Amino acid sequence: MGMTPRLFICILAMLLATGDLASAGAWPREKGEAFVSGQVRQDADTLDDAPVVSVYGEYGLTDRWTVGGKLDYALATRDVTQMKAFARWHVPDSDGIWERALSLAIEGTADDPNVSPSVHLGRGIDTAIGPGWMDVELTATLSIQNAQVNYGLFALVGVKPNPRLMTMVALDVSTMDSGAQVNLTPSVAWEYKQGKHVQLEWTYGLDGAVKHEVAAGIWLEF
């Protein structure tokens, strides 16, 4: 990477990303409405390996509370590799242009659980090719075992050039013992039926470990 991306990483204070493309982020899920997604992820460099299956869900508990969870299952090892349960409170509307929310998650594994409070910011934008949105999640992740704290950022920009098509790109920055990991994830989602999308994405490691990952999923709203 060049100097500018490395300076960007430094400014972000070695952030740890925890966002999800399927998440409504700063926007509340309407009361009584649910969203469920299923996704299969495959390392493009090791196509002989079995993929990882992810299931994610959100539910509008009230007008201001959204609850949900996520589970990752590795078919190769037949193990649950990541679990997450969260509750998100959406700040009442104001005259500002930003949607705001606060959330608390319990995530990780049974052997290494973490507590993760987050701040969410989102706003609609107008572009030359259609309406769009920006969503940012800032997270602090506290290990219950050793009290180590990491900080995180997940940033996404999306545009709808067609009422049934969403195009998105997300920046994912994380820190590990081995150093920084920066991933870029472009994706598309096509609404083939009202409330039902098919989604494709590609994750590329800009810095850190080599990462080329492809994924396909289904989004369902009801």
Side-chain angles (χ1 to χ4, degrees), residues 188-208:
V188 295
W190 175 258
E191 188 177 28
Y192 63 91
K193 190 176 182 180
Q194 185 174 359
K196 298 177 174 63
H197 291 77
V198 59
Q199 181 244 354
L200 301 173
E201 70 179 44
W202 172 55
T203 299
Y204 177 74
L206 295 175
D207 196 21

Side-chain angles (χ1 to χ4, degrees), residues 109-204:
T109 64
D111 295 330
D112 186 21
N114 299 284
V115 177
S116 301
S118 299
V119 176
H120 305 261
L121 298 172
R123 61 170 294 183
I125 57 176
D126 293 321
T127 76
I129 60 173
W133 71 98
M134 298 171 55
D135 193 33
V136 177
E137 179 181 347
L138 303 171
T139 302
T141 301
L142 171 66
S143 172
I144 295 177
Q145 286 189 336
N146 57 25
Q148 180 180 351
V149 181
N150 291 311
Y151 299 93
L153 169 73
F154 179 84
L156 180 145
V157 176
V159 179
K160 294 188 72 172
N162 178 286
R164 299 175 65 182
L165 176 66
M166 291 188 288
T167 62
M168 296 156 283
V169 62
L171 180 68
D172 188 332
V173 185
S174 62
T175 58
M176 297 170 289
D177 292 340
S178 57
Q181 179 73 34
V182 182
N183 296 329
L184 188 70
T185 303
S187 66
V188 295
W190 175 258
E191 188 177 28
Y192 63 91
K193 190 176 182 180
Q194 185 174 359
K196 298 177 174 63
H197 291 77
V198 59
Q199 181 244 354
L200 301 173
E201 70 179 44
W202 172 55
T203 299
Y204 177 74

Side-chain angles (χ1 to χ4, degrees), residues 35-40 56 192 196-199 216-220:
F35 172 91
V36 176
S37 71
Q39 186 186 68
V40 177
Y56 175 87
Y192 63 91
K196 298 177 174 63
H197 291 77
V198 59
Q199 181 244 354
I218 296 291
W219 295 356
L220 304 175

Side-chain angles (χ1 to χ4, degrees), residues 19-42:
D20 194 293
L21 292 178
S23 170
W27 287 270
R29 187 68 58 184
E30 290 190 19
K31 182 179 179 181
E33 290 193 356
F35 172 91
V36 176
S37 71
Q39 186 186 68
V40 177
R41 301 196 309 272
Q42 176 69 51

